[in-house]
Amino acid sequence: MGLSFRHLVSAKDLQRQDVEAILKEAEEMEKVLKTGGDERLKGKILAALFYEPSTRTRLSFEAAMHHLGGSVITANGIENSSLKKGESIEDTMRMVSQYADIIAMRHPEQGSAAIAATAAAVPFINAGDGGNQHPTQGLLDVFTIHRELGTHENLTVAIAGDLLYGRTIHATASVLALFPQRECIFISPPALRMPQDVKDFLKEHGVSFRETEALAEGLEADVLYMTRIQSERFSDVTEYERYKNLYQLSARDLQARKTVIMHALPRNTEIATDVDGLPNAAYFRQAGNAVPVRMALLSMMVGKM
Ligand code: NCD
């Protein structure tokens, strides 16, 4: 089945059928990986434009492309690119569209991805625009939930930490909202609550949620997704200092609970390392799932010229 979109700017652009098709294809890609990859993207080039730090996202996009026989060209950091010389995002897209068959871009400004997509002549993927959205992370998160629990429906999913600036979980909550859920529990201090647009999206899709400050309320959920307090988004450093160690999950908090623990990584102090050895600590598997999910997405999108 084809995808309903040409560019992927926000997880809110996805249809339920898109998510189902991508998750199914990602399972196929796991098989492709087991047999050593294939050549279906031979001759195709991904331009990976990362104007903000990235480890997992860039490397897993690159690995995904390589596993399918494609290649990658990269721009790293605004300092090293023409954006530094005052080139507009639109001009960069017009130019890069002539070098590549698909573009993935990470940029520090919220809304930059929507601007880029209007000028891209090839399919465009938002790999994170400021504190706004990170749709491919949302997809791999829901794939991970499915892998861990055998379903991504009718669940209680708790998300804790920096819900205001955490672009990954804006995407994850939006993808989850396309399916019936029992409840979402949003755990944060009042100043870092989930943005209204994401809450509206859940309401439109009939997914109920509640907001609390207590991490303990997430311990009994099916999934507890911890997030990093996004230091780079705070204009006032004392504000960041106030929240940076607010939620710290340790093995003692979890005891024998089966709650699936997720995190987009990198982590700071929000998950103690003594959680890592628990069978329900899913965050490193989550990072691994980035490869088959991005393989699926790239191969499904690159044909859409
Ligand atoms: C996240 C990001 O860049 O938004 N990392 C990722 O893509 N896996 C999360 C973060 O930086 O906290």
Side-chain angles (χ1 to χ4, degrees):
M1 196 211 79
L3 297 169
S4 72
F5 57 89
R6 173 174 158 80
H7 304 301
L8 184 53
V9 171
S10 166
K12 293 190 293 177
D13 301 337
L14 292 162
Q15 306 285 323
R16 190 188 159 121
Q17 306 86 274
D18 295 322
V19 177
E20 282 167 350
I22 294 163
L23 298 190
K24 190 160 166 276
E25 187 65 9
E27 284 186 7
E28 291 302 313
M29 291 299 176
E30 287 183 318
K31 293 180 198 149
V32 170
L33 281 169
K34 284 207 179 87
T35 56
D38 67 24
E39 297 284 307
R40 76 183 73 186
L41 293 185
K42 191 171 163 52
K44 300 294 183 189
I45 296 178
L46 164 73
L49 312 179
F50 279 78
Y51 301 122
E52 217 183 30
S54 173
T55 305
R56 274 149 293 271
T57 304
R58 188 168 63 80
L59 294 185
S60 59
F61 262 116
E62 291 194 7
M65 209 59 196
H66 291 310
H67 283 302
L68 295 175
S71 35
V72 186
I73 54 175
T74 312
N76 265 335
I78 287 183
E79 286 301 312
N80 302 323
S81 76
S82 289
L83 291 179
K84 177 75 178 170
K85 299 183 192 168
E87 183 167 66
S88 68
I89 292 173
E90 292 97 319
D91 281 0
T92 301
M93 288 303 127
R94 289 183 190 111
M95 193 254 315
V96 175
S97 296
Q98 300 182 65
Y99 302 158
D101 302 286
I102 185 161
I103 300 171
M105 183 186 82
R106 170 170 290 186
H107 191 284
E109 277 165 38
Q110 171 153 350
S112 53
I115 294 168
T118 62
V122 296
F124 171 87
I125 300 173
N126 177 11
D129 63 325
N132 185 35
Q133 273 280 336
H134 191 351
T136 61
Q137 181 76 40
L139 287 164
L140 78 90
D141 289 347
V142 172
F143 182 77
T144 300
I145 291 171
H146 193 107
R147 270 269 164 274
E148 297 291 320
L149 292 168
T151 180
H152 50 280
E153 293 189 15
N154 299 316
L155 298 172
T156 300
V157 178
I159 309 181
D162 187 347
L163 309 190
L164 179 62
Y165 299 121
R167 59 189 173 200
T168 68
I169 49 88
H170 300 163
T172 312
S174 305
V175 179
L176 283 171
L178 299 175
F179 302 88
Q181 304 299 346
R182 205 172 308 128
E183 189 185 30
C184 289
I185 307 172
F186 296 146
I187 304 164
S188 75
L192 298 180
R193 282 200 184 127
M194 192 65 100
Q196 197 57 46
D197 73 294
V198 180
K199 291 192 279 194
D200 288 345
F201 192 78
L202 265 73
K203 276 187 201 149
E204 279 163 32
H205 289 82
V207 171
S208 67
F209 62 86
R210 65 190 161 88
E211 296 177 291
T212 171
E213 288 184 60
L215 184 59
E217 291 188 39
L219 297 176
E220 303 290 342
D222 297 302
V223 174
L224 173 57
Y225 191 135
M226 301 296 293
T227 67
R228 178 177 69 89
I229 306 294
Q230 307 277 299
S231 51
E232 64 274 44
R233 312 275 175 238
F234 286 78
S235 49
D236 178 356
V237 70
T238 56
E239 185 86 344
Y240 165 68
E241 295 287 333
R242 184 180 316 153
Y243 299 123
K244 70 174 187 189
N245 295 323
L246 187 62
Y247 298 121
Q248 298 188 338
L249 185 73
S250 70
R252 204 182 35 180
D253 299 319
L254 289 163
Q255 296 180 20
R257 291 183 177 95
K258 298 275 186 290
T259 321
V260 173
I261 307 301
M262 292 178 64
H263 194 301
L265 304 174
R267 76 171 139 188
N268 291 156
T269 56
E270 57 278 356
I271 302 182
T273 51
D274 66 4
V275 179
D276 299 358
L278 301 178
N280 44 326
Y283 31 96
F284 291 113
R285 292 191 290 277
Q286 181 182 354
N289 289 336
V291 175
V293 172
R294 291 192 168 115
M295 286 167 76
L297 195 65
L298 286 166
S299 74
M300 292 170 91
M301 284 181 77
V302 93
K304 293 202 126 202
M305 313 288 282

